[in-house]
């Protein structure tokens, strides 16, 4: 998200222009049902910190704006063409496949859970906590972390719903529960069996204090039943994946991490770029 503040055109190209082109291709191919990966970032900073799908969409960074543009194009194209859609507004996607088959290999990752696991496995020196003076219980940002396997299941359920004749729908994908940065770090330390180095840092551009899903609608409309609504399971799977890719990536004897070492290619079936 903060990268979208410094490089907005990249995000408008990837999320707005590319979505327009994809919708055009879908129209040519006669696609009937469309599941769109949107983001909680479309809400910006909801007054209470908890957003249901009717909350105002007031993004505060170009990432959220570009995702909202995608939603608008989809809505307008659907009205004109008869396409039916499910917009899934992801909250904070985290964790890795619980069976260890797939996970993120993003270089220069910025997501809290990935960065913290890289610190725990020695790939980074420390984790910077971006902002300790937010109006939240412990002063750090609070988010709704959803396990990637539950999110994948939501896509399957959404397509099943549309194929069964369901109306177009907008759905939050989260658990409806918030964890602070420090809560997440405590879970990383539990999974790691010891503390990880942390430093306090200034707030990051484009970050909101609190963002939690009202997640009642997705359960009602899709019958979605999450299986991994547990911060220790989420972090445990993320850390296990980090160890797994380390095992595939020989390190130099000095202990220095090799830049560009042999991680799974981002387009390999074992890689997931987030
Ligand atoms: O090294 C880090 C990374 C993050 N954070 C904090 O951790 C929280 C979560 O940050 P991050 O994991 O980067 O996620 P968000 O910025 O909340 O954004 C994510 O969640 C959005 C949905 O809410 C998605 O749309 C975005 O793609 C995704 O980046 C925030 O309070 C950050 O300030 C740190 O303190 N240190």
């Amino acid at each position: 998200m903060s990268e979208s503040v410094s490089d907005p055109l990249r995000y408008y190209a990837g999320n707005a222009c590319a979505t327009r082109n994809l919708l055009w291709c879908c129209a040519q191919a006669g696609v009937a049902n469309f599941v769109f990966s949107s983001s909680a970032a479309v809400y910006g900073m909801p007054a209470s910190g908890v957003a249901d799908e009717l909350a105002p969409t007031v993004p505060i960074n170009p990432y959220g704006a570009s995702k909202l543009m995608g939603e608008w194009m989809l809505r307008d194209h659907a009205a004109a063409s008869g396409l039916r859609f499910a917009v899934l507004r992801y909250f904070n996607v985290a964790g890795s496949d619980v069976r260890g088959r797939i996970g993120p290999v993003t270089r220069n990752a910025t997501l809290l859970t990935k960065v913290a696991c890289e610190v725990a496995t020695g790939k980074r020196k420390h984790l910077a906590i971006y902002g300790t003076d937010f109006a939240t219980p412990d002063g750090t940002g609070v988010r709704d972390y959803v396990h990637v396997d539950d999110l994948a299941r939501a896509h399957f359920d959404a397509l099943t719903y549309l194929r069964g004749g369901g109306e177009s729908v907008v759905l939050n994908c989260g658990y409806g529960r918030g964890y602070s940065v420090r809560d997440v770090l405590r879970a990383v330390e539990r999974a790691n069996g010891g503390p990880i180095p942390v430093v306090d840092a200034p707030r990051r551009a484009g970050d909101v204090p609190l963002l939690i899903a009202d997640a009642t609608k997705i359960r009602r409309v899709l019958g979605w039943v999450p299986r991994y609504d547990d911060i220790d399971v989420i972090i445990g799977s993320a850390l296990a994946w980090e160890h797994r890719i380390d095992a595939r990536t020989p390190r130099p004897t000095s202990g220095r991490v090799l830049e560009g070492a042999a991680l799974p290619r981002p387009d390999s079936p074992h890689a997931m770029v987030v």
Side-chain angles (χ1 to χ4, degrees):
M1 307 238 258
S2 56
E3 190 191 55
S4 79
V5 177
S6 55
D7 190 4
L9 295 185
R10 176 159 175 246
Y11 283 77
Y12 288 115
N15 288 334
C17 302
T19 298
R20 181 265 162 209
N21 293 341
L22 180 61
L23 286 173
W24 185 86
C25 292
C26 288
Q28 305 310 303
V31 169
N33 302 309
F34 195 102
V35 179
F36 182 65
S37 301
S38 187
S39 168
V42 300
Y43 295 118
M45 214 179 309
S48 69
V50 180
D52 67 18
E53 291 82 355
L54 297 176
T57 45
V58 196
I60 61 158
N61 51 47
Y63 176 76
S66 67
K67 282 291 185 184
L68 189 55
M69 287 177 183
E71 289 194 16
W72 287 341
M73 286 188 275
L74 181 57
R75 178 198 62 195
D76 293 345
H77 172 60
S81 66
L83 179 84
R84 279 176 308 122
F85 63 81
V87 165
L88 300 183
R89 291 179 175 161
Y90 303 178
F91 282 67
N92 287 61
V93 186
S96 295
D97 172 37
V98 289
R99 289 161 66 187
R101 294 164 302 180
I102 187 171
V105 294
T106 325
R107 292 188 204 286
N108 306 318
T110 60
L111 291 186
L112 174 64
T113 48
K114 172 86 176 158
V115 173
C117 290
E118 289 180 352
V119 174
T121 52
K123 289 194 277 279
R124 298 191 192 219
K125 285 202 179 68
H126 61 256
L127 181 125
I129 301 183
Y130 296 133
T132 54
D133 58 351
F134 288 109
T136 59
D138 68 12
T140 67
V142 172
R143 299 288 185 276
D144 188 338
Y145 294 91
V146 56
H147 192 280
V148 65
D149 283 3
D150 281 334
L151 187 70
R153 167 59 60 178
H155 289 69
F156 181 82
D157 291 347
L159 197 54
T160 305
Y161 161 84
L162 291 172
R163 284 185 171 154
E167 290 297 310
S168 293
V169 69
V170 177
L171 300 168
N172 283 343
C173 285
Y175 295 139
R177 177 200 306 265
Y179 291 98
S180 72
V181 174
R182 292 197 198 283
D183 291 332
V184 170
L185 295 180
R186 275 193 288 272
V188 173
E189 293 184 341
R190 283 195 295 276
N192 187 44
I196 64 166
V198 161
V199 296
D200 290 353
R203 294 182 185 192
R204 198 172 58 171
D207 270 355
V208 299
L210 185 68
L211 193 53
I212 301 172
D214 179 322
T216 43
K217 187 175 173 190
I218 185 169
R219 293 168 190 255
R220 178 170 44 81
V221 174
L222 300 187
W224 180 63
V225 181
R227 297 175 64 191
Y228 305 110
D229 177 5
D230 180 328
I231 195 70
D232 288 312
V233 172
I234 292 174
I235 296 301
S237 68
L239 189 58
W241 172 256
E242 216 54 55
H243 283 301
R244 198 176 161 92
I245 55 179
D246 276 358
R248 293 181 193 168
T249 311
R251 295 210 189 174
T253 46
S254 70
R256 197 171 54 83
V257 178
L258 269 184
E259 274 298 316
L263 289 172
R265 285 165 47 86
D267 57 352
S268 91
H270 303 295
M272 178 179 75
V273 177
V274 293

